[in-house]
Amino acid sequence: MTTPARPAPTIIDVARAAGVSKSLVSLAIRGDAGVSDATRTRILEVADELGYHSNALARGLARGRTQMVGLLVSDLANPYFADVVHGIEEDADATGLGTIIGHGRGSAEVLARRLDEILDLGVDGVIVISAMLDGGTLDRAAARRPVVMVGRPFAPPRRVSVVRNHDEHGAEAAVSHLISLGHRRIAHLASSRRAAATARRDSFERTMRAAGLAPHVIDAGDDGVARLLDRVGAPDGPTACFAGNDRIATAVLSDALDRGLGVPTDLSVVGYDNAEAGRLVRPALTTVEQPREAMGREAMRLLRARIDGDREVAEITLEPRLVVRGSTGPAA
Amino acid sequence: MTTPARPAPTIIDVARAAGVSKSLVSLAIRGDAGVSDATRTRILEVADELGYHSNALARGLARGRTQMVGLLVSDLANPYFADVVHGIEEDADATGLGTIIGHGRGSAEVLARRLDEILDLGVDGVIVISAMLDGGTLDRAAARRPVVMVGRPFAPPRRVSVVRNHDEHGAEAAVSHLISLGHRRIAHLASSRRAAATARRDSFERTMRAAGLAPHVIDAGDDGVARLLDRVGAPDGPTACFAGNDRIATAVLSDALDRGLGVPTDLSVVGYDNAEAGRLVRPALTTVEQPREAMGREAMRLLRARIDGDREVAEITLEPRLVVRGSTGPAA
DNA sequence: CTGAAAGCGCTTACAG
DNA sequence: CTGAAAGCGCTTACAG
């Protein structure tokens, strides 16, 4: 029916209606001391009646600060992001900062574009929850505003603070758990070539060798799950599998059950991430949990410090923990 | 090391460096005709060298348009949103609009706050992917900018366009499927008291009665799943269950298996939403799929029309479809 | 405690 | 094809 035709009331309309100058309205609305209580109350009432909303564009332009931070995520569907964002927003809410989210839809190119758009919008800082962006892109962003990354870059760009989990410790915990259950032929399904995946893989190999066992690594892409399952039950086949993330681990679980293999009787399975799906499947998934909300909170702390003028670039590594459920059991 | 100390170059810096007036720079950057190719090229080169970025705040303030739309979601972790957002962004990308996402974290109050923040930021329109917001809040937003809602409100606010799926048809398809498999004692686990849930429940009851069967409805909250499973196997106990959404359906599945019940031998289960988890669990979940990406695209189409001055408020209902998997089978 | 003035970085008619 | 000027809605010293 109606379009938002009527132009939005401005500070001038409020000033006129309240019979004061526009600077006074500005002060009153921002809660500045030095405006009498009576006047402030009256001005706020008038503003409310008129349906006045402060124009954030004009405010940001005049102040050079928007009190907004941008959150860049590469993939909304991945629940990992939801938890990190939760941690970030808890801190942001408590410190009076607004958050807007930009979404890369799984593409580094789209993500970089969103990053630019959000910087153009004048946010006071940015948290990139993704390891997708290359160093150059991150560094160019960091030249404009403070940038914190949650995740694990290959080489931390000079001007970007990083919050990540200790992938080596997480992988070690997963593999040690399997070894302590008596498994000796353990395969690793590597998730990707990114830094976190590489660290988990390296740690898998080190932990196996330290126990005097031969590490066996399979690339998860290109039918890796099928190739793994083909060998289960063979004389020298694996009795356990450490998957690079929960998505792969749940695929192993589903496909194993579809083949009539028992989990954990024929194959023990460990994932990484503690995704929600791992709690729903049966047997429920043993996995490594990153402290996602804590990572978000730390990232926001670092960003606030940078926004407030701290020049220090930091790197924070948080400890993951093993969550044991039904998908792992004693070796046959 | 370095802070983003150096103030960002403006159109004036570019003008000076290129030896032209600042209005000319503005025209050249926006690709206005009426600037010679040679001049435009030179100006763009200079802008690039200087690392110039157009200030979206200033641009938006001057033009009254930001070419940005706001997307409000109540819960990032729910994959339903990711697909709707995907559809929206496909259209937005193709039509040159940017998108920023505001996140309600499961709270109507937080969501309403984000909605305000994003409107203050001067977006050209808003898509609310949630049925959480009350009519008053939506209507107040619609008084400021065009608003489209994806989901099902109880009473569509006068000024808000709506895109939703046909819950009645979806529920009917689910129940008819069970009836055609020979089930006669079918229970419905109602998910909430919201409009979509109510529509599914009503349709369940109508479909059952039309088939001469007695509808049995259980509130999913408050241990509803346990109360349902307690009765499975009893002489007059249910042999099938239509859950109001996939989250509930997968809980039924997990809990049934934990109790040693067979699915679908002892109990057939149907969900609603086609969430990813339903594909991962075993048996995989039979469910009703909403055309989520299409709903997003339609919402964006409606919003663009409104932004371009169309005053028509529309309501679009898309058809869901049944996805049959392993969790449903013939009645014993 | 209050008001007039300049400025944030851009766009947009309007003259040349 | 190019330049000077006003204005978008706010904030911020600066005088009173």
Side-chain angles (χ1 to χ4, degrees), chain B residues 30-254:
Chain B
R30 299 198 331 271
D32 195 295
V35 179
S36 71
D37 275 10
T39 319
R40 182 205 318 296
T41 309
R42 189 160 49 86
I43 291 179
L44 291 183
E45 277 174 12
V46 170
D48 217 55
E49 274 168 32
L50 261 48
Y52 170 79
H53 287 270
S54 173
N55 180 324
L57 260 37
R59 198 176 350 119
L61 184 59
R63 301 186 52 161
R65 274 282 195 99
T66 55
Q67 303 281 87
M68 288 278 202
V69 306
L71 274 30
L72 282 298
V73 306
S74 43
D75 175 13
L76 237 39
N78 187 332
Y80 165 83
F81 294 111
D83 287 332
V84 176
V85 167
H86 227 283
I88 291 173
E89 292 188 331
E90 259 176 35
D91 182 293
D93 272 8
T95 53
L97 293 167
T99 50
I100 57 181
I101 301 174
H103 175 211
R105 302 214 306 282
S107 148
E109 192 195 311
V110 175
L111 191 62
R113 191 146 38 87
R114 292 272 180 266
L115 175 58
D116 261 335
E117 284 174 12
I118 280 186
L119 283 168
D120 290 351
L121 258 185
V123 293
D124 295 336
V126 158
I127 299 180
V128 177
I129 315 170
S130 166
M132 243 183 185
L133 258 25
D134 62 285
T137 302
L138 282 172
D139 211 58
R140 242 169 292 128
R144 301 178 64 187
R145 296 284 163 178
V147 174
V148 175
M149 165 175 170
V150 178
R152 185 159 179 163
F154 267 111
R158 302 117 294 254
R159 296 183 279 194
V160 173
S161 295
V162 173
V163 176
R164 59 184 185 85
N165 96 110
H166 202 308
D167 296 287
E168 290 82 354
H169 286 181
E172 187 187 339
V175 179
S176 298
H177 169 62
L178 292 172
I179 293 176
S180 76
L181 286 169
H183 293 280
R184 313 212 29 96
R185 297 190 304 278
I186 305 172
H188 174 56
L189 276 167
S191 55
S192 77
R193 306 211 155 280
R194 288 215 258 275
T198 304
R200 291 170 198 177
R201 171 198 175 133
D202 290 351
S203 175
F204 163 76
E205 294 182 342
R206 267 198 308 278
T207 308
M208 289 293 282
R209 293 221 174 81
L213 303 174
H216 182 50
V217 175
I218 302 175
D219 192 334
D222 195 30
D223 283 333
V225 173
R227 283 180 1 251
L228 168 75
L229 293 177
D230 285 345
R231 301 195 48 248
V232 173
D236 62 339
T239 64
C241 152
F242 166 46
N245 64 42
D246 279 2
R247 184 158 267 170
I248 299 173
T250 47
V252 172
L253 231 63
S254 310

